[in-house]
Amino acid sequence: MVLLRFLMETYILGIESSCDDTAAAIICNDVICSNVTAGQEVHKNFGGVVPELASRAHQQNIIPVVDTAIQKANISKKQLSAIAFTRGPGLLGSLLVGTSFAKAMALGLNIPLIEVNHLHAHIMAHFIRNDAHTNPIPKFPFLCLTVSGGHTQIVLVHEPFNMEVIGQTIDDAAGETFDKAAKIMGLPYPGGPVIDELAKQGDGQRFGFAKPVISGLNFSFSGLKTAILYFLRDQLKIDPEFILKNKADLAASIQQTIIDILLQKLVTASNSTGIREIAIAGGVSANSGLRTALLAGQLHHQWNVFIPSLSYSTDNAAMIAIAGYYKFLKGEFSNQQVAPYARSS
Ligand code: KG4
Ligand code: ZN
């Protein structure tokens, strides 16, 4: 049976609805055929994701998004071998929409249902292959810096679903820090990509922010957020146009500080484990400064570096589909009683 699964052409529908992106993707074995995401503009006016509005938008988006993914893959839903969905962590109301939809569709088509952990999926995005299977994938064991809006972790990946968190934030996540810094500067949500763009024109050494001293491989970002808040409050008292005049340098300096904090721990993790296969994952892995810093690590630390393509960095369903494919091969299916969870255990 397991051998048969390897030989078959397997189509899996992946569904992601953990936060404010409604996404669906079709994978044929480990090659993506379609990858569709509907973002939610509705949150922009509120400076952050409003859970109630997110669930409602998922309800509106899920059918057209799944339908488009199937059409773009040029298959019929009858060809699907299984449906994979994000079970958690995330916003419960948002997860419920994707979970309920996946359960109903799997039941209707009489095919297996596969639950996927959102954070595992960000890491598993590295195993998506191109048509010719020529893109390099990490060798086990490898280290993955998973940096998103809700999480900052250094994960020791032994096997596809054997992952050990060896360091994590004790307060705010890296993405949250980008978003909060942007908010303090009066920039729109989500702040990460906005700061990234501004930073390209700025001097990252212009303003110095103290870095936290945290033992081991853990991170802390709440002090940086407070430092930015107090620094700008003091500067604005002297010059009310301080932010306006120094936007790019501020963005670059904040970004540089976040990257330095992340990289310092990643280097420590690599040195202490002796692992030189290094990957990044999650929304913040889209950051151009972080990508450049990681590439520099190839030279400075003899790392073999893996950076996901931009479409697989921020939340997407392709990563759910590839994680689903690996579970499909192992025959790891869920039953119809499965319920979403907001936090990972
Ligand atoms: O993985 P993700 O899409 O959603 C979660 O699972 O949280 O990550 C979203 C986070 C947000 O905080 C967003 O500001 C950040 O990723 N982000 C970025 C960039 N693109 C997205 N942060 C820095 N630079 C970027 N280019
Ligand atoms: Zn994510």
Side-chain angles (χ1 to χ4, degrees):
M1 186 64 186
V2 171
L3 184 67
L4 198 66
R5 281 200 198 106
F6 270 108
L7 296 175
M8 277 184 348
E9 206 149 76
T10 305
Y11 287 102
I12 294 177
L13 164 66
I15 295 176
E16 155 63 29
S17 73
S18 66
C19 191
D20 60 340
D21 289 304
T22 319
I26 303 288
I27 200 165
C28 176
N29 297 343
D30 51 7
V31 177
I32 294 296
C33 310
S34 66
N35 186 26
V36 180
T37 303
Q40 301 181 356
E41 292 293 310
V42 68
H43 308 287
K44 282 223 158 87
N45 303 334
F46 298 91
V49 177
V50 183
E52 171 73 25
L53 297 179
S55 324
R56 287 169 194 238
H58 282 306
Q59 281 279 12
Q60 289 171 337
N61 293 341
I62 190 108
I63 291 176
V65 165
V66 169
D67 197 37
T68 308
I70 292 173
Q71 279 183 37
K72 282 194 168 172
N74 208 14
I75 61 162
S76 140
K77 62 178 185 296
K78 295 206 175 80
Q79 288 173 264
L80 290 173
S81 310
I83 298 181
F85 69 99
T86 308
R87 185 177 171 198
L91 300 171
L92 208 60
S94 291
L95 289 163
L96 265 170
V97 178
T99 305
S100 307
F101 186 91
K103 283 163 78 169
M105 192 162 170
L107 189 67
L109 293 171
N110 195 23
I111 54 175
L113 181 66
I114 303 172
E115 65 184 75
V116 169
N117 175 294
H118 181 86
L119 295 166
H120 285 179
H122 269 302
I123 297 172
M124 289 303 291
H126 287 285
F127 293 88
I128 293 171
R129 308 308 304 269
N130 60 20
D131 284 341
H133 271 213
T134 49
N135 58 316
I137 53 174
K139 289 187 203 71
F140 298 106
F142 67 93
L143 294 177
C144 187
L145 173 70
T146 308
V147 267
S148 68
H151 296 85
T152 299
Q153 301 179 333
I154 298 178
V155 183
L156 171 49
V157 187
H158 299 283
E159 286 170 39
F161 296 101
N162 181 358
M163 304 186 187
E164 195 185 330
V165 178
I166 57 172
Q168 61 188 320
T169 183
I170 57 167
D171 40 56
D172 294 347
E176 203 178 347
T177 311
F178 270 106
D179 296 339
K180 283 179 178 168
K183 196 169 184 175
I184 297 169
M185 286 176 65
L187 301 172
Y189 177 85
V194 184
I195 291 200
D196 191 356
E197 255 334 283
L198 278 170
K200 287 176 187 160
Q201 280 100 52
D203 174 3
Q205 308 302 325
R206 169 96 187 278
F207 304 109
F209 296 102
K211 298 186 187 87
V213 184
I214 306 288
S215 66
L217 296 175
N218 285 341
F219 302 91
S220 169
F221 287 102
S222 66
L224 175 60
K225 182 187 64 190
T226 314
I228 296 167
L229 185 71
Y230 288 169
F231 173 71
L232 290 181
R233 186 196 60 187
D234 294 345
Q235 294 301 320
L236 286 171
K237 275 186 200 153
I238 304 164
D239 178 3
E241 296 202 330
F242 181 79
I243 295 179
L244 203 65
K245 288 176 184 162
N246 298 287
K247 239 182 209 173
D249 287 347
L250 278 168
S253 301
I254 291 165
Q255 177 169 299
Q256 194 54 54
T257 310
I258 296 173
I259 293 171
D260 288 349
I261 295 170
L262 293 172
L263 259 289
Q264 192 218 334
K265 294 291 174 150
L266 196 53
V267 171
T268 309
S270 168
N271 290 342
S272 62
T273 57
I275 295 173
R276 299 262 173 277
E277 295 275 300
I278 308 289
I280 50 172
V284 180
S285 71
N287 185 268
S288 54
L290 180 60
R291 287 168 169 248
T292 307
L294 208 75
L295 287 173
Q298 296 200 118
L299 212 65
H300 295 138
H301 310 292
Q302 287 78 50
W303 284 350
N304 201 12
V305 161
F306 298 89
I307 299 173
S309 79
L310 281 177
S311 49
Y312 306 145
S313 298
T314 48
D315 284 352
N316 65 89
M319 66 185 199
I320 307 302
I322 184 75
Y325 174 65
Y326 273 79
K327 283 196 153 188
F328 183 86
L329 293 177
K330 287 173 73 181
E332 272 187 33
F333 304 135
S334 306
N335 61 34
Q336 282 286 331
Q337 278 71 50
V338 66
Y341 52 82
R343 288 173 179 278
S344 291
S345 58

